[in-house]
Amino acid sequence: MAFKIIEGCVNCWACAPLCPSQAIVAAKPHFLIDAHSCTECAGDYADPQCASICPVEGVILDGLGVPVNPPGSLTGIPPERLAAARAEIRAR
């Protein structure tokens, strides 16, 4: 199964140069991953390089549609804790 980049990608170019199979291509409205070329970095790296560098959480999905870089993966803040903190700020 190949990864997929979805809406929310900001076309920052961080992922494309890191892809060992050169499966990431610039496109409009956002980058795309060529499903036939994507190896999910198997045999090259322990972790998918695109998801490791992506600055936008939740925009790279695996073949089942699950984010490879889920919310909280960059910040280390669990989504529930972040939502609670935002709600507290709004309540002030």
Side-chain angles (χ1 to χ4, degrees):
M1 291 189 182
F3 291 147
K4 179 180 180 179
I5 298 174
I6 61 170
E7 186 176 323
C9 169
V10 296
N11 294 329
C12 70
W13 283 93
C15 60
L18 296 183
C19 181
S21 58
Q22 299 177 345
I24 301 172
V25 295
K28 298 273 182 181
H30 54 76
F31 277 63
L32 298 174
I33 297 178
D34 177 4
H36 298 292
S37 299
C38 179
T39 63
E40 298 181 7
C41 295
D44 291 304
Y45 297 97
D47 297 314
Q49 297 300 285
C50 57
S52 297
I53 194 70
C54 183
V56 183
E57 296 175 333
V59 298
I60 301 176
L61 308 179
D62 67 12
L64 299 174
V66 177
V68 182
N69 59 341
S73 62
L74 287 175
T75 62
I77 302 171
E80 314 79 52
R81 185 171 172 202
L82 184 59
R86 287 181 175 158
E88 183 179 324
I89 291 169
R90 280 188 225 123
R92 292 181 187 174

